[in-house]
Amino acid sequence: MVNHTSSLNKSLKASPQQDKKSVTVHDVARVAGVSKSTVSLVLRGSEKASAKAKDKVLKAIEETGYVYNRDAAAMRSKSSDLVAIVINDLTNPYSAKLAVALEKHVRQLGLMATLVNTSEDVETQTQIVAKLKEYRVKAFIICPAPNTEAQWLEELQTMQTQVVSIMRQVSGSTIPCVLPDNEKGVYTATKALIKRGHKQIAFIGGDDAISDYHQRLLGFNNAINEHKDVSSWVFNSATNRQGGRLAMSMCLEKVPSIESVMCFNDIVAYGVMEYLAEQSIKPGHDIGVIGFDDLDDSKLMSVPLSTVKIDADDIAKAVCEILKGDKPESLKQVPVSLIERSS
């Protein structure tokens, strides 16, 4: 039997000036005593390679000085190990929290994540994604900007590139989507307000250009419609602190007797609570306030904010299950829970 390992080692040692790039996957396979396909699996970070095989291959790579040319590999496979996380608004604390969770779980798959921000602008989103396609990304994880078209999203997915939308649905698209159970979350929160005896309730924040607004408003209306003695109002606004302040101002002007407000998100709720405080109205005592997201600062407010919790880690795990092919369904709704605090 010919000892391929020792033969190759002698060859390498006999050529000290040899360029390490001349060492091939076949050489690594011979030194490791495994097949070329096993070496490829290890290089790609595949879970299909056993721990024992991985150890052999890594030792062989160190011994031979093999350098993995990722650009060449991407050219051959028509994709890379790069996953693009396309976030709609990184100024939103929840979006930043979600991006961190996604990056962590993508890295655990043996892939590299890159993060970009579209600032809620569909043209910026189109330009950024077009540029990223030049790098043959393996997957796009996208929180779609308002007015994203289904056809654009569908055409983005190819045999080499996966696409998963998060937090928002694009009407008419069959692309896999992961989002929180918006409808149930707001329904549960609104029912909690009604259970406390509140009869005049407003929904504050958001606009009809995004799917999560419609889902949350539907949950609000469903809860209200179950009680004939409860009156409701809707005040649209930007989904930020200033939007919350303006919407609460409009609400108090139109309905001075309002008893509680269900806010589109926690940031809107912060603006609501600030405005109420300026009017000497105490959240939770004079007017009930509930948010949506459960940001880290929500429990630290002067009056701790009641909110609907979305676990960013659960969203990220569900996305990565789709990337691995473990969960092929087109829609995954992640459970949410009501966190009741002083507000």
Side-chain angles (χ1 to χ4, degrees), residues 182 186-187 190 193 200-207 212-221 224 231-237 247 251 258 260-265 268 290 292:
N182 291 300
V186 173
Y187 173 86
T190 306
L193 293 172
Q200 300 188 68
I201 307 173
F203 184 90
I204 284 183
D207 63 68
D212 44 352
Y213 168 80
H214 292 285
Q215 292 159 356
R216 294 177 191 184
L217 183 59
L218 179 60
F220 175 77
N221 286 332
I224 295 295
S231 300
S232 67
W233 295 263
V234 176
F235 297 92
N236 297 131
S237 73
C251 177
I258 196 75
S260 59
V261 293
M262 176 70 228
C263 299
F264 175 80
N265 62 17
V268 168
I290 297 183
F292 200 110

Side-chain angles (χ1 to χ4, degrees), residues 58-98:
L58 293 178
K59 286 181 180 178
I61 289 173
E62 183 178 359
E63 186 175 344
T64 61
Y66 173 73
V67 177
Y68 182 39
N69 189 330
R70 292 186 180 274
D71 290 337
M75 289 290 288
R76 289 193 297 272
S77 66
K78 297 186 179 180
S79 68
S80 66
D81 63 355
L82 187 64
V83 173
I85 302 172
V86 184
I87 297 296
N88 60 306
D89 181 13
L90 279 174
T91 64
N92 183 310
Y94 185 80
S95 295
K97 185 176 182 178
L98 179 58

Side-chain angles (χ1 to χ4, degrees), residues 7 33 37 143 147 239 291 316 328 343:
S7 297
S37 61
C143 183
N147 303 312
T239 56
S343 73

